[in-house]
Amino acid sequence: IHMRLVTLTFAERCCTLAAVVSRQRISMSTPPPPSSFIEDVNNQYEGFHRAFEEQFWGTKMALKDGSYTVDALTKAKGEMEAFLASKEKLAQTRGYLARSDLSEAERATLAIFERTFGCYIMESEAALALREKCTAIEGTLEDARNKMRLGAVLDGAFVELSSVGLRSKMRVDGSEATRKACWEGLRSIGEFVTANGFVELVRARNAMARELGYEDFYDYKVTQAEGFGKGALFGMLDTLEQGTRPLMEEARANLAAAKGEAALLAYNSAYMMAGSVTQKLDPYFPFERAVEQWGRSFAALGISYEGASMRLDLLDRKGKYSNGFCHWPQPAWVKADGSFQPTVTHFTSLADPSAVGSGHTALTTLMHEAGHAAHFANIKMPSPLFSQERAPTSVAYAELQSMFLDSLVGDAAWRFQYARDREGSPLPFALHEEDVRRESRSSRRRIVSRTPRSPSLRPLPLGARQAPLRGLLAPRDARRMPSPRGRGAARARHTRRPASDPLPL
């Protein structure tokens, strides 16, 4: 009896083991539910994105923390792009998209997965090797450029100046010799980068793109972001250039007639067109009020940042990347449990408070980059891939709101509400008119300024179409102000998208 019990117990154990193995086989052959796959991709991408963006900020801002290095940036970028270039994840995504039981949110999220993975996957091993080569060259070149000793020879001595400082002097300095020296300083950047890998980078990028069937790297980038190639884009731009060429030629002729042929030289034209006006405008754009002007303008427009955290770096300094930008180490998105993850935003400006015109330039940059930050802070979609600026996000889509918001700085109604000197006096209409005429430089172009100080033009009431701007233009007193006037998708396996495929959002 004892032996029989032992035998039965052993048999039962064998049956139990077989059942466990069978369940494991079934589990291995059955993919997880769509929600689990989506959550896994979202969380992994969020981590890779954050690691890259933190390195991007630290190296571009020349922060002294030793953890920010070109090697670490290159590594983080490579890891993020390797994740986005996963053929396995693309295949899984398409498998889920073939199902009929997806929710609307799941289908939309899987669609952005498919489009994004398709932008990064490269079937060619040669192209993959070239992409790695490009990344390495980019890091080395950026590091060298950040350490470049830039400036101009002024009064016989070399004066170290950033590219921002050089451009500022070219715009406002009354000495032609100084302006020419600054122009030569800027030109030295071209000589420096071509001697430090730029030519090799262009060659490697174009070779990579051709391996993938594109005309060149620019064709590759345009198609990824906008859904159409370089040929289509250049067709649009050629139409624009040809249509505006007569205005440009007349403007140059008018400038030469008014200021002399020397006004057309590269180091003189900006000063001849803007120098005196820039100096007159300067008191009405004090740098210390830029953040207040941004905050009040956006608040009056009803623009919210939805709980975002923002890190601002507004002043020009040695080693800092010489162009304003806005990036998001933490994208905004709605998580699987329905909670909203606010964005963390990094954006920069390049102000030199001691330079004439710097306040206006810094404010314009601030309004632009803050516009990007507001845009991406308000994206409430079920994946961080909806709120990142790389392909398949359209460049035109990303720039639309920010360019509208920075255009307010040149708008008559905005200026009369916000552009004031340190004593609180508003910018005179005559100066605004001079600035508009300076920009147009064409006697055939009509200046339209709807302002209460222009007696020939009646202010427009704030009607329904201007409702979103009502708060912005509400004056502090009882006077009525006028209404202001504002001014690709992935190729899966790198094949052309069908014409019916919608452009990326």
Side-chain angles (χ1 to χ4, degrees):
I1 295 173
H2 176 72
M3 289 297 295
R4 178 176 174 78
L5 287 174
V6 171
T7 302
L8 289 173
T9 302
F10 178 73
E12 290 171 353
R13 289 177 178 176
C14 288
C15 290
T16 301
L17 179 61
V20 170
V21 171
S22 177
R23 284 197 298 270
Q24 287 179 339
R25 286 176 177 172
I26 293 172
S27 175
M28 290 173 66
S29 62
T30 304
S35 58
S36 297
F37 174 73
I38 289 171
E39 185 173 8
D40 183 56
V41 171
N42 283 342
N43 290 334
Q44 287 188 68
Y45 173 73
E46 185 179 44
F48 286 121
H49 177 101
R50 188 185 300 117
F52 167 71
E53 288 295 349
E54 289 292 349
Q55 282 295 326
F56 184 90
W57 176 259
T59 53
K60 286 288 189 277
M61 295 297 99
L63 301 183
K64 293 183 178 180
D65 188 326
S67 62
Y68 300 123
T69 65
V70 173
D71 289 343
L73 174 65
T74 301
K75 180 175 181 291
K77 183 179 181 182
E79 290 174 345
M80 181 180 71
E81 291 189 344
F83 173 80
L84 293 173
S86 170
K87 298 176 186 178
E88 180 185 358
K89 284 186 172 55
L90 178 60
Q92 289 177 291
T93 297
R94 288 175 172 165
Y96 284 113
L97 282 170
R99 296 173 54 154
S100 59
D101 59 344
L102 298 173
S103 69
E104 183 179 349
E106 288 173 337
R107 189 166 295 280
T109 304
L110 289 166
I112 197 66
F113 286 3
E114 182 183 35
R115 293 164 74 178
T116 306
F117 292 143
C119 285
Y120 288 87
I121 290 174
M122 295 182 178
E123 301 292 341
S124 165
E125 292 298 325
L128 285 169
L130 284 165
R131 182 168 69 182
E132 292 180 4
K133 181 179 180 180
C134 290
T135 300
I137 296 174
E138 287 168 7
T140 302
L141 178 58
E142 289 176 5
D143 184 53
R145 172 64 183 88
N146 286 343
K147 296 173 181 176
M148 177 187 178
R149 189 167 180 259
L150 186 63
V153 177
L154 304 176
D155 298 325
F158 182 83
V159 177
E160 195 164 355
L161 291 166
S162 68
S163 60
V164 177
L166 292 170
R167 287 194 298 268
S168 177
K169 278 190 171 294
M170 283 177 59
R171 194 167 55 245
V172 301
D173 199 288
S175 167
E176 182 173 332
T178 297
R179 296 195 299 271
K180 184 177 181 181
C182 291
W183 176 71
E184 290 171 345
L186 285 172
R187 279 176 56 87
S188 71
I189 297 174
E191 297 171 357
F192 179 87
V193 297
T194 52
N196 282 271
F198 182 72
V199 174
E200 291 76 11
L201 177 59
V202 171
R203 185 180 294 119
R205 283 175 167 178
N206 286 339
M208 180 196 75
R210 292 184 185 115
E211 276 289 329
L212 299 171
Y214 295 87
E215 184 179 342
D216 53 29
F217 184 74
Y218 191 74
D219 185 44
Y220 163 72
K221 292 294 286 186
V222 170
T223 307
Q224 277 192 327
E226 308 302 337
F228 52 81
K230 183 178 80 170
L233 176 62
F234 282 8
M236 301 176 201
L237 295 178
D238 286 346
T239 301
L240 177 64
E241 190 278 327
Q242 291 162 12
T244 57
R245 187 185 300 169
L247 291 175
M248 180 273 293
E249 290 173 346
E250 181 179 359
R252 285 176 59 84
N254 289 344
L255 180 60
K259 304 286 186 177
E261 288 296 325
L264 301 179
L265 295 173
Y267 46 84
N268 285 335
S269 56
Y271 172 76
M272 294 299 179
M273 290 191 294
S276 62
V277 176
T278 299
Q279 292 176 347
K280 293 176 186 177
L281 287 171
D282 187 60
Y284 298 96
F285 294 93
F287 171 74
E288 66 269 18
R289 292 196 58 201
V291 173
E292 177 195 349
Q293 290 169 323
W294 153 49
R296 289 184 59 221
S297 299
F298 278 38
L301 280 167
I303 296 174
S304 168
Y305 284 91
E306 297 297 317
S309 300
M310 289 182 281
R311 185 184 299 174
L312 281 61
D313 190 323
L314 303 181
L315 299 177
D316 185 30
R317 65 176 184 278
K318 184 178 180 180
K320 178 181 173 180
Y321 185 60
S322 58
N323 196 22
F325 67 85
C326 180
H327 277 220
W328 301 265
Q330 174 59 65
W333 63 294
V334 178
K335 296 186 175 182
D337 60 5
S339 63
F340 176 64
Q341 170 62 60
T343 186
V344 175
T345 301
H346 292 163
F347 67 88
T348 80
S349 181
L350 296 157
D352 175 2
S354 65
V356 174
S358 181
H360 180 275
T361 302
L363 175 61
T364 304
T365 304
L366 181 59
M367 294 282 277
H368 182 95
E369 303 305 341
H372 281 307
H375 174 187
F376 282 83
N378 283 275
I379 295 177
K380 298 181 179 180
M381 296 293 285
S383 172
L385 287 170
F386 285 103
S387 52
Q388 55 87 31
E389 75 279 5
R390 298 174 191 85
T393 300
S394 163
V395 175
Y397 162 75
E399 292 296 331
L400 179 62
Q401 298 182 63
S402 57
M403 293 188 72
F404 165 72
L405 289 165
D406 77 47
S407 74
L408 293 176
V409 179
D411 180 80
W414 186 93
R415 283 182 166 184
F416 295 130
Q417 176 67 8
Y418 294 101
R420 296 173 181 267
D421 63 18
R422 290 180 174 87
E423 285 69 46
S425 301
L427 188 150
F429 174 72
L431 178 54
H432 171 71
E433 184 177 16
E434 183 180 357
D435 187 34
V436 173
R437 290 189 183 280
R438 183 267 306 174
E439 288 186 351
S440 65
R441 291 296 178 193
S442 172
S443 60
R444 294 189 298 105
R445 295 175 68 181
R446 182 182 176 191
I447 297 175
V448 179
S449 302
R450 288 195 178 107
T451 75
R453 299 192 181 198
S454 180
S456 62
L457 296 172
R458 180 173 56 85
L460 297 180
L462 290 176
R465 287 192 298 174
Q466 288 81 36
L469 301 178
R470 187 185 304 275
L472 173 67
L473 297 177
R476 283 189 281 263
D477 56 27
R479 291 176 300 170
R480 195 172 207 176
M481 297 293 288
S483 172
R485 250 187 184 175
R487 54 175 189 172
R491 298 200 302 182
R493 299 174 64 87
H494 298 283
T495 58
R496 295 280 177 186
R497 295 183 313 114
S500 59
D501 193 6
L503 289 178
L505 296 178

